[in-house]
Amino acid sequence: MFFGLELSGLQIYWWLIVSLLGGFLVFMFFVQGGQTLIDTLSKNELDKTMLVNSLGRKWELGFTTLVLFGGTCFAAFPLFYSTSFGGAYWAWLAILFCFILQAVSYEYRKKEGNVYGSKTYEIFLKINGFLGVFLIGIALSSFYSGSHFSLNEHNFVQWQSHFRGLELLLNPYNYLLALALVFLSRVLGASYFMNNILDEELKLRASKAVLMNALPFLLFFVVFLGWIFTKDAFFMAENGEIVMKPFGYFLSFISCYGFFAILFLIGLVFVVLGLWLNIFIKARCGVWNLGIGVVLVVFALLASLGVQNAFYPSLSELQSSLSIKNASSSYYTLSVMAYVSLLVPFVLAYIFYVWRAMDRVKITKEEIANDHHTY
């Protein structure tokens, strides 16, 4: 089946998988967003323990999605993986450090003999929630703004900045997506709490948090869309050469008979519906509408970016920019892995099963008070 496809078809297929996993990863940021809301939503220690335990049962699923996303990029587009992680390693080490803090916090926050106190690990959770998501947003924004690197004839990366990726913080446009993701994660986190915890007072506070964070999210996201749709794109010509194309990202977005634009609009409808359910109806099901919407919106943006443009552009040497044509694995590797990718639905089904099993009994004050194992 896959061995009958052309190499270009396999490259597009794998970029679509990467884009889909990117959508799931952004949805799983509800864990990070929830961590930033612990002090905001809790009125006492019992409330705080409920919130932390609600997230503690899901954080590993988010970490697994992050690893799956990175592993897929490594397998399908190894040149991108080696260029980004080999060149911008200070930025990626900072991101990795944030997620190490998260794992340590859930393990030791309530552990006997904790000499640092619970407050220290709660600060670690906030660092992961704010800084981890912010830095990932900066890294993703570089897919549009570009980075300062070049590749030699052996495809060895030469990074043009001693800051090794941290120089992306000097571009103010990168902050648009980063801040949009931070506020989106807080919207998703509050919406998740409304669904996962049976407590009316906490639900009302979470509903208010959805509203307070939805407004800045929409503002930063709309400005981000305005920026990418009006800027010149690093367009991938038929011969594989990278050229600058005015309004290229917008033209790619509405190409393919508007397929990506339609998916994007459907996703927006789900996002708006989820916000409406959370803010005005106080419904517990809003998180699922938000989740579907976020996955569709992120998928549409990432997919339209990589199918026709360089998805990792170089500002130092235009032809060093990475596209799905020059950054992918070989035809044989992509074909074999394509058969392995048929297992992805089963992995997602397993995650869904584990999620349902953990949510079979919602978190309540009575359960937490009688539970001897808390995060």
Side-chain angles (χ1 to χ4, degrees):
M1 178 173 65
F2 291 107
F3 279 103
L5 292 176
E6 295 183 356
L7 177 59
S8 60
L10 287 169
Q11 291 167 337
I12 292 175
Y13 172 78
W14 274 103
W15 181 253
L16 294 180
I17 290 181
V18 169
S19 301
L20 182 61
L21 291 175
F24 281 110
L25 176 61
V26 172
F27 167 62
M28 294 304 296
F29 283 162
F30 75 83
V31 175
Q32 278 68 36
Q35 290 167 182
T36 66
L37 292 170
I38 291 174
D39 287 337
T40 303
L41 299 182
S42 61
K43 296 300 182 182
N44 50 55
E45 189 63 29
L46 183 56
D47 285 348
K48 184 179 295 185
T49 303
M50 282 199 299
L51 295 170
V52 174
N53 275 260
S54 177
L55 297 172
R57 299 177 183 183
K58 300 294 193 311
W59 78 269
E60 291 175 321
L61 297 179
F63 192 81
T64 300
T65 306
L66 177 63
V67 172
L68 183 61
F69 176 77
T72 303
C73 290
F74 171 74
F77 303 101
L79 186 55
F80 159 67
Y81 193 90
S82 62
T83 300
S84 181
F85 286 80
Y89 55 77
W90 283 126
W92 288 111
L93 283 176
I95 292 172
L96 177 62
F97 178 74
C98 289
F99 281 86
I100 291 175
L101 290 180
Q102 181 193 42
V104 170
S105 298
Y106 283 114
E107 177 67 25
Y108 290 100
R109 177 179 175 269
K110 285 295 186 179
K111 195 167 186 177
E112 292 185 9
N114 173 11
V115 296
Y116 298 107
S118 300
K119 191 65 178 179
T120 300
Y121 295 104
E122 291 164 13
I123 294 174
F124 289 169
L125 290 177
K126 286 185 179 180
I127 293 175
N128 172 258
F130 282 116
L131 187 59
V133 173
F134 181 82
L135 290 177
I136 289 179
I138 293 288
L140 290 177
S141 187
S142 69
F143 286 11
Y144 296 94
S145 63
S147 299
H148 293 277
F149 69 89
S150 61
L151 300 175
N152 62 20
E153 63 274 15
H154 302 294
N155 282 332
F156 289 158
V157 61
Q158 295 175 321
W159 210 262
Q160 305 301 318
S161 170
H162 296 295
F163 293 103
R164 295 290 183 169
L166 295 180
E167 73 278 356
L168 295 173
L169 294 170
L170 300 178
N171 187 341
Y173 288 109
N174 290 336
Y175 284 71
L176 297 174
L177 180 60
L179 291 173
L181 285 183
V182 169
F183 285 109
L184 173 61
S185 70
R186 287 166 64 86
V187 169
L188 292 171
S191 182
Y192 167 75
F193 287 140
M194 293 179 67
N195 173 267
N196 190 246
I197 300 176
L198 293 180
D199 187 275
E200 288 302 317
E201 292 184 6
L202 195 148
K203 186 176 75 169
L204 293 176
R205 294 196 292 269
S207 176
K208 183 178 180 181
V210 171
L211 173 62
M212 298 300 294
N213 289 278
L215 297 176
F217 157 66
L218 292 173
L219 173 62
F220 284 113
F221 186 63
V222 168
V223 177
F224 167 74
L225 291 178
W227 169 56
I228 64 173
F229 286 161
T230 56
K231 75 184 300 291
D232 292 348
F234 297 79
F235 183 74
M236 179 176 55
E238 290 292 333
N239 60 0
E241 184 180 359
I242 305 299
V243 297
M244 300 305 295
K245 183 176 181 179
F247 302 100
Y249 293 126
F250 178 73
L251 295 175
S252 299
F253 184 69
I254 62 176
S255 63
C256 301
Y257 303 101
F259 175 72
F260 298 123
I262 292 173
L263 281 182
F264 180 86
L265 291 175
I266 294 174
L268 280 184
V269 170
F270 273 101
V271 169
V272 172
L273 177 60
L275 293 176
W276 182 75
L277 289 171
N278 282 154
I279 297 172
F280 298 104
I281 307 299
K282 307 292 189 297
R284 299 187 181 277
C285 61
V287 66
W288 300 118
N289 293 276
L290 285 171
I292 294 172
V294 166
V295 171
L296 290 177
V297 167
V298 174
F299 172 79
L301 289 175
L302 285 179
S304 63
L305 163 69
V307 169
Q308 295 185 346
N309 307 286
F311 65 87
Y312 200 59
S314 170
L315 299 175
S316 300
E317 184 179 320
L318 191 59
Q319 300 313 313
S320 291
S321 301
L322 301 184
S323 66
I324 61 174
K325 285 187 176 181
N326 62 14
S328 73
S329 296
S330 66
Y331 177 83
Y332 179 80
T333 302
L334 292 179
S335 299
V336 172
M337 290 195 310
Y339 287 99
V340 178
S341 71
L342 297 178
L343 298 175
V344 170
F346 295 97
V347 175
L348 295 178
Y350 171 74
I351 293 176
F352 178 75
Y353 170 78
V354 172
W355 185 300
R356 289 293 300 273
M358 288 188 291
D359 275 8
R360 193 166 297 158
V361 178
K362 299 292 185 180
I363 290 181
T364 63
K365 290 182 177 179
E366 292 74 17
E367 180 203 5
I368 295 299
N370 296 324
D371 190 359
H372 298 290
H373 174 72
T374 57
Y375 290 95

